[in-house]
């Protein structure tokens, strides 16, 4: 391996898939990974199992995965989770390799560190969801339509029994075409990952719930417009607003958890609509009522996410 063939290394790890040799430090790995310590202790020093005086240990892993793990355990530059403020984000392939190998070799500290970072993205509170920023670089193929990378997030959550990742991960499959859901995620090591039949069914069955939530949210907005009272008489203005939205605007409201700052929110549209009669927008008091109702709708739906996907998530907000 070009990156991890260290001339003063004293042990060689060879991957079984696409055989690649990594020359690293025996004691450094053994002190961090008990499974490696046991493996090294049980290896023999026969001539056929050594090279340039170093014992050779076979690992049933892919070189791409092992390389990502070694970048953390034997960093030649910066460890994975330590980066400059504006530095490049890790990739999902890096997270996947580290979580899977940490799980396999029982490196609990490292697995928890990687999962903690993912929990910032696939969080368990609505406030955290509204504040979140990307924790890993999005796949190059991702545009306005999510790619199949959500399949990998669900798979990692299942592997490590980290159910708190699942509600948001399942929710974000709602923007995926059914063909993509039934497709697969290709790992960097060549492994193809599919959703289990049960998880695929969860994603499909939940679509009716989110469609109904979007419809209910729209009806509540229309009802609010028809019943609002204020000194400035904003009722006709809000009624005009609801009747003036075109089909494209209603389509952008199909995401019932759309963040308040996005174009998937009623409050954003009320504040940015540019076709009010005489150019007069609703008063701030009426806009605040729209915001309050929207927040209530989103909080109710957030609390129902585990129920919608038929999963149990300890500690999920009620």
């Amino acid at each position: 391996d070009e990156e991890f063939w260290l001339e003063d290394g004293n042990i060689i790890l060879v991957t079984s898939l696409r055989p690649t040799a990594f020359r690293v430090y025996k004691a450094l790995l053994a002190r961090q990974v008990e499974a490696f310590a046991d493996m090294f202790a049980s290896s023999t020093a026969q001539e056929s199992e050594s090279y340039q005086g170093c014992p050779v240990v076979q690992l049933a892993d892919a070189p791409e995965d092992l390389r990502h793990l070694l970048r953390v355990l034997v960093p030649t530059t910066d460890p994975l989770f330590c980066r400059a403020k504006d530095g490049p984000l890790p990739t999902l392939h890096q997270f996947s390799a580290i979580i899977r190998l940490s799980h396999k070799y029982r490196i609990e500290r490292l697995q928890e560190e990687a999962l903690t970072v993912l929990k910032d993205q696939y969080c368990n509170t609505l406030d955290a969801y509204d504040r979140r920023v990307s924790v890993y670089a999005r796949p190059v193929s991702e545009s306005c339509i999510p790619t199949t990378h959500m399949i990998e997030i669900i798979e990692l959550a299942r592997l490590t029994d980290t159910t708190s990742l699942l509600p948001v991960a399942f929710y974000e499959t709602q923007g995926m075409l059914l063909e993509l859901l039934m497709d697969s995620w290709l790992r960097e090591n060549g492994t193809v990952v599919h959703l289990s039949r049960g998880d695929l069914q969860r994603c499909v069955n939940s679509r009716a719930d989110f469609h109904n939530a979007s419809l209910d949210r729209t009806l509540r907005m229309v009802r609010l417009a028809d019943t609002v009272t204020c000194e400035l008489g904003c009722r006709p203005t809000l009624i005009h607003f609801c009747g003036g939205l075109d089909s494209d605007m209603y389509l952008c409201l199909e995401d019932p958890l759309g963040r308040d700052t996005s174009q998937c929110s009623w409050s954003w549209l009320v504040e940015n609509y540019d076709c009010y009669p005489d150019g007069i927008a609703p008063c701030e008091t009426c806009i605040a009522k729209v915001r309050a109702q929207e927040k209530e709708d989103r909080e109710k739906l957030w609390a129902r996410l585990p129920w919608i996907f038929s999963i149990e998530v300890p500690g999920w907000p009620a």
Side-chain angles (χ1 to χ4, degrees):
D1 183 74
E2 291 184 3
E3 184 176 352
F4 286 100
W5 185 263
L6 308 178
E7 294 301 329
D8 58 346
N10 56 1
I11 194 162
I12 296 173
L13 310 178
V14 179
T15 60
S16 59
L17 186 62
R18 292 180 293 284
T20 306
F22 298 78
R23 184 169 179 170
V24 287
Y25 306 116
K26 180 178 180 180
L28 182 59
L29 292 182
R31 288 187 181 187
Q32 297 182 82
V33 186
E34 185 176 350
F36 282 171
D38 295 341
M39 193 184 309
F40 299 159
S42 63
S43 63
T44 62
Q46 296 179 7
E47 185 66 29
S48 60
E49 296 174 327
S50 65
Y51 178 75
Q52 293 185 353
C54 297
V56 176
V57 176
Q58 300 285 338
L59 298 180
D61 299 307
E64 297 84 359
D65 292 342
L66 184 58
R67 192 175 297 116
H68 288 314
L69 180 64
L70 290 176
R71 284 172 179 161
V72 180
L73 300 179
V74 192
T76 55
T77 54
D78 295 326
L80 177 66
F81 304 113
C82 297
R83 65 184 186 90
K85 181 179 180 182
D86 299 320
L89 289 169
T91 65
L92 181 55
H93 291 306
Q94 288 174 299
F95 274 102
S96 174
I98 287 170
I99 289 172
R100 285 183 287 106
L101 291 193
S102 294
H103 183 78
K104 174 182 177 179
Y105 292 117
R106 304 186 303 280
I107 316 174
E108 296 178 3
R109 171 191 56 79
L110 183 56
Q111 175 181 295
E112 186 56 37
E113 186 176 1
L115 289 172
T116 296
V117 177
L118 282 188
K119 287 175 184 177
D120 288 339
Q121 188 74 19
Y122 303 92
C123 39
N124 64 358
T125 68
L126 187 56
D127 286 342
Y129 180 76
D130 285 342
R131 292 193 307 266
R132 68 183 189 154
V133 295
S134 293
V135 297
Y136 59 83
R138 296 292 174 169
V140 175
S141 58
E142 184 178 45
S143 57
C144 59
I145 300 176
T147 67
T148 54
H149 73 281
M150 212 52 60
I151 294 172
E152 177 74 316
I153 296 296
I154 293 171
E155 178 67 15
L156 294 175
R158 292 300 193 190
L159 172 69
T160 60
D161 194 27
T162 312
T163 56
S164 64
L165 300 176
L166 290 173
V168 172
F170 277 129
Y171 174 71
E172 293 195 346
T173 67
Q174 299 306 302
M176 294 171 60
L177 300 173
L178 286 178
E179 304 93 90
L180 286 176
L181 269 178
M182 299 174 68
D183 202 352
S184 59
W185 167 256
L186 180 63
R187 286 176 178 160
E188 192 178 28
N189 64 14
T191 304
V192 176
V193 182
H194 296 272
L195 281 179
S196 69
R197 183 173 180 177
D199 284 341
L200 178 61
Q201 198 66 51
R202 284 181 173 85
C203 295
V204 173
N205 291 348
S206 64
R207 297 199 168 201
D209 290 282
F210 290 112
H211 175 76
N212 290 337
S214 296
L215 178 60
D216 183 61
R217 188 171 68 148
T218 299
L219 293 176
R220 278 169 55 80
M221 179 61 205
V222 172
R223 190 177 301 118
L224 175 64
D226 189 46
T227 58
V228 71
T229 58
C230 72
E231 295 180 357
L232 298 180
C234 292
R235 178 174 175 272
T237 303
L238 285 171
I239 290 176
H240 174 87
F241 161 77
C242 290
L245 296 184
D246 59 28
S247 57
D248 288 339
M249 290 181 177
Y250 276 110
L251 281 175
C252 83
L253 291 165
E254 286 189 350
D255 176 6
L257 277 179
R259 295 169 61 173
D260 291 344
T261 55
S262 75
Q263 296 182 30
C264 296
S265 103
W266 278 108
S267 59
W268 187 93
L269 283 175
V270 169
E271 292 183 79
N272 292 274
Y273 186 65
D274 56 5
C275 295
Y276 286 116
D278 302 322
I280 302 175
C283 69
E284 181 56 38
T285 299
C286 290
I287 292 177
K289 290 180 180 178
V290 174
R291 291 196 203 102
Q293 179 172 286
E294 184 171 59
K295 181 179 180 182
E296 179 184 337
D297 291 342
R298 296 175 74 234
E299 287 176 343
K300 286 181 178 179
L301 181 60
W302 185 270
R304 293 180 61 236
L305 287 182
W307 179 86
I308 289 173
F309 296 114
S310 301
I311 53 178
E312 292 186 12
V313 183
W316 192 265

